[in-house]
Amino acid sequence: MPKRNLVAVPNQHSIIATCFFNAPRDLIFKVMNDPETIPEWWGPRVLTTVVDKMEPWSGGSWRYVVSNTKGDEWAFHGVYHTIEAPLQTVLTYEYEGLPGKVSLETTTYEDQEGGTLLTTTSVFQSVEDRDDMMQSDMQEGGNETMDRLEELLTSMQVRS
Amino acid sequence: MESEQVFKAVADHHRRHLLDSLAQADGQTLTQLCASMPMSRIGVMKHLNILEQAGLITTRKVGREKLHFLNPAPLHNVDAWLTGYRRLWNERMDRLEDLINRTQASEQPKEQNDAET
């Protein structure tokens, strides 16, 4: 099994990402749901992530603001639907730059031999919403060279 | 929609294999391409046809031979669509991994101390 996988099936509403960590489930759940540690991993390294609000309980809300040194800001917010430590979280997710394109993000933490399998499934309201999100999501811009054909083709593998 | 055709074309692993093969050696004949495919000549022709319709390969007749060439241009849109998100996700997971390693490293000496006392 690959350590990481990101699948966005053409013509479907979802993105499924998995990652295996060689660490206990409790620890992973803790660092991913703690306002103290969110700034250390949630956003890109070159940007600063600030937790504006984080109420990790059912019905609570969250808002993170990501900024660069020039003062540009990108904000994200949503509401927690389920927090079931250390098994799963279900929350809504909205990028304020694309208002109304709300997705539902379910993260499960699975105890496996030697570590924990993290699976995040984001379900968008339409295929178009998903594709807009993937294109706008803090993309640094600039064209990647197209020399890694194999990597690209692997990423296109469709799960049916 | 053009990119949909491209997605469909690369969704099949035989067709991805054909593209990989051309990425390694461009300008192959049908016979050369058939050599590594577990199917009939007609089956390979069918896949090449789909790839050609999606604009992923072009063909040129040289004498009696028909040569097949890779054209990655239609993949650019597909690539741009996924690259930004993939980069973001990977970086997030890298940072999470670093943080978990740091946290584990700082917890370990404490556990050892606890065990000693």
Side-chain angles (χ1 to χ4, degrees):
Chain A
M1 194 185 68
K3 195 166 175 251
R4 284 185 197 173
N5 197 14
L6 179 70
V7 180
V9 181
N11 306 322
Q12 288 194 10
H13 295 208
S14 59
I15 301 171
I16 302 166
T18 59
C19 188
F20 182 83
F21 294 96
N22 299 311
R25 175 164 69 183
D26 286 349
L27 176 65
I28 298 180
F29 189 93
K30 186 169 169 284
V31 299
M32 288 184 72
N33 294 284
D34 179 348
E36 299 254 315
T37 45
I38 289 284
E40 293 186 58
W41 67 272
W42 197 80
R45 265 190 198 88
V46 292
L47 305 176
T48 306
T49 303
V50 172
V51 175
D52 176 41
K53 193 187 208 182
M54 188 167 176
E55 304 162 338
W57 54 82
S58 180
S61 58
W62 65 272
R63 185 172 185 269
Y64 307 153
V65 181
V66 178
S67 60
N68 62 14
T69 48
K70 288 186 283 180
D72 300 318
E73 286 187 349
W74 299 268
F76 303 81
H77 74 266
V79 175
Y80 292 100
H81 183 82
T82 309
I83 295 272
E84 197 183 348
L87 300 175
Q88 74 161 347
T89 60
V90 182
L91 50 88
T92 59
Y93 179 108
E94 183 174 8
Y95 167 44
E96 292 179 8
L98 291 172
K101 306 209 171 198
V102 184
S103 59
L104 186 68
E105 193 180 286
T106 302
T107 302
T108 59
Y109 304 76
E110 208 178 307
D111 217 352
Q112 290 196 343
E113 197 174 333
T116 307
L117 179 69
L118 178 75
T119 305
T120 298
T121 306
S122 297
V123 182
F124 293 80
Q125 290 171 70
S126 67
V127 179
E128 290 73 26
D129 279 9
R130 180 194 67 172
D131 295 355
D132 285 354
M133 186 66 195
M134 289 181 76
Q135 281 181 338
S136 69
D137 211 1
M138 291 184 280
Q139 201 172 338
E140 290 160 25
N143 289 319
E144 285 274 293
T145 47
M146 247 307 295
D147 55 347
R148 294 195 308 275
L149 179 67
E150 199 187 327
E151 186 192 279
L152 169 63
L153 295 175
T154 311
S155 71
M156 292 284 105
Q157 284 185 38
V158 173
R159 304 297 150 100
S160 51
Chain B
M1 205 174 116
E2 196 188 296
S3 62
E4 234 171 81
Q5 221 178 350
V6 177
F7 277 129
K8 278 185 188 142
V10 297
D12 180 272
H13 71 101
H14 290 305
R15 292 196 284 273
R16 287 198 300 275
H17 178 81
L18 286 168
L19 292 175
D20 276 341
S21 175
L22 288 174
Q24 279 159 26
D26 217 3
Q28 295 185 59
T29 63
L30 177 61
T31 308
Q32 285 170 326
L33 287 168
C34 282
S36 61
M37 295 287 284
M39 61 176 71
S40 67
R41 237 176 128 79
I42 292 183
V44 176
M45 281 168 74
K46 198 190 81 185
H47 285 306
L48 287 170
N49 225 346
I50 293 171
L51 289 170
E52 193 169 5
Q53 273 168 18
L56 289 163
I57 61 170
T58 56
T59 58
R60 197 165 69 218
K61 276 213 158 162
V62 178
R64 274 184 301 173
E65 302 272 39
K66 191 177 179 187
L67 304 182
H68 300 79
F69 296 90
L70 178 68
N71 177 35
L75 287 170
H76 282 260
N77 288 337
V78 174
D79 187 47
W81 178 69
L82 206 59
T83 303
Y85 195 85
R86 178 181 302 284
R87 197 193 293 137
L88 183 72
W89 177 260
N90 270 331
E91 185 168 359
R92 181 177 287 180
M93 291 300 110
D94 284 344
R95 296 193 77 187
L96 194 53
E97 214 156 41
D98 287 351
L99 175 63
I100 286 163
N101 289 340
R102 282 203 308 275
T103 312
Q104 276 185 315
S106 68
E107 274 179 4
Q108 239 145 28
K110 205 175 74 193
E111 278 168 18
Q112 274 167 10
N113 288 342
D114 288 349
E116 279 164 22
T117 52

